[in-house]
């Protein structure tokens, strides 16, 4: 039997860091997807809590470019902060998350009692932690991952190699805002 070559995807999956064309997201898009303010994003980047892995700011007017994994970590940090975990404990958790790939992150559940963050990779670990009898909250990273994929599908990204090019303009010339305005204007004229 002759094997037929599979047709690859037209564009790389933004959550796949192994693609040749890595999709990055600018600060405002990362903020929108993670549910944080630009001030938080800027502070976390300046204090090395979550750094953009595709492109860092190199001076006034330069744009940071965040990867899918970066935004996933931003989303997890936001949830930990909302639950009352200290920034010091979040830094420890973020260091552990950075070492993992996106697929590995989908297998992680973070549990916290408000003081300590525990990384669980199996249901047995979760049960062992809960048997301690104290109240904890959990963040299933896989849920945040699915939510983020859905959110980023509707937000503009840019190819890491094509500075200043919006992903939506590379996939469809009629998809960008300027083209849509022109089409509306010519339709009403």
């Amino acid at each position: 039997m002759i094997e037929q070559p599979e047709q690859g995807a037209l564009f790389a999956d933004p959550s796949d860091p192994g693609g040749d064309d890595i999709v990055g997201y600018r600060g405002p898009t990362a903020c929108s997807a993670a549910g944080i303010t630009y001030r938080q994003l800027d502070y976390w980047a300046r204090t090395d809590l979550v750094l953009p892995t595709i492109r860092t700011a190199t001076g006034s007017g330069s744009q940071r470019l965040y990867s899918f994994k970066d935004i996933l970590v931003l989303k997890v940090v936001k949830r930990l902060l909302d639950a009352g975990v200290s920034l010091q404990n979040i830094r420890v958790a973020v260091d552990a998350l950075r070492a993992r790939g996106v697929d590995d992150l989908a297998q992680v559940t973070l549990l916290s009692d408000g003081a300590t963050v525990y990384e669980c990779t199996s249901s047995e670990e979760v049960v062992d932690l809960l048997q301690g009898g104290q109240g904890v909250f959990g963040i299933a990273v896989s849920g945040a991952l699915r939510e983020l994929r859905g959110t980023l599908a509707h937000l503009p990204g840019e190819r890491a190699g094509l500075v200043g090019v919006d992903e939506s303009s590379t996939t469809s010339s009629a998809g960008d805002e300027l083209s849509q305005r022109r089409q509306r204007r010519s339709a009403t004229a």
Side-chain angles (χ1 to χ4, degrees):
M1 177 189 231
I2 300 173
E3 288 188 33
Q4 298 293 326
E6 288 186 33
Q7 180 177 345
L10 184 57
F11 295 104
D13 181 358
S15 65
D16 177 20
D20 290 337
D21 292 331
I22 297 175
V23 175
Y25 302 91
R26 292 181 182 218
T29 302
C31 290
S32 178
I36 61 174
T37 65
Y38 194 82
R39 182 171 281 190
Q40 285 175 306
L41 180 76
D42 185 53
Y43 176 74
W44 294 347
R46 286 186 291 110
T47 59
D48 296 337
L49 178 62
V50 181
L51 292 168
T53 56
I54 296 179
R55 186 174 63 219
T56 59
T58 55
S60 181
S62 64
Q63 295 276 331
R64 296 182 186 108
L65 207 56
Y66 289 85
S67 70
F68 178 87
K69 182 179 173 183
D70 298 336
I71 300 173
L72 180 60
V73 172
L74 288 169
K75 194 171 195 61
V76 170
V77 168
K78 168 76 164 110
R79 288 185 178 178
L80 289 169
L81 277 174
D82 288 348
V85 177
S86 72
L87 207 51
Q88 182 179 4
N89 286 333
I90 290 173
R91 284 186 186 283
V92 173
V94 166
D95 288 340
L97 293 176
R98 281 185 187 145
R100 296 180 171 273
V102 172
D103 291 334
D104 290 338
L105 286 174
Q107 307 305 318
V108 173
T109 300
L110 297 176
L111 294 175
S112 179
D113 55 8
T116 307
V117 179
Y118 304 96
E119 178 183 313
C120 300
T121 56
S122 70
S123 57
E124 291 82 21
E125 290 176 338
V126 172
V127 170
D128 286 345
L129 193 60
L130 293 175
Q131 286 180 343
Q134 67 186 62
V136 295
F137 69 90
I139 299 172
V141 179
S142 62
L145 181 92
R146 281 190 305 275
E147 184 181 310
L148 185 59
R149 278 191 175 131
T151 301
L152 287 177
H154 305 291
L155 294 173
E158 76 181 45
R159 303 277 176 218
L162 303 173
V163 178
V165 176
D166 184 336
E167 180 184 333
S168 63
S169 67
T170 61
T171 58
S172 168
S173 62
D176 70 342
E177 184 180 348
L178 185 58
S179 294
Q180 291 172 355
R181 286 183 184 179
R182 287 181 184 148
Q183 288 174 352
R184 283 194 299 263
R185 190 174 30 213
S186 64
T188 58

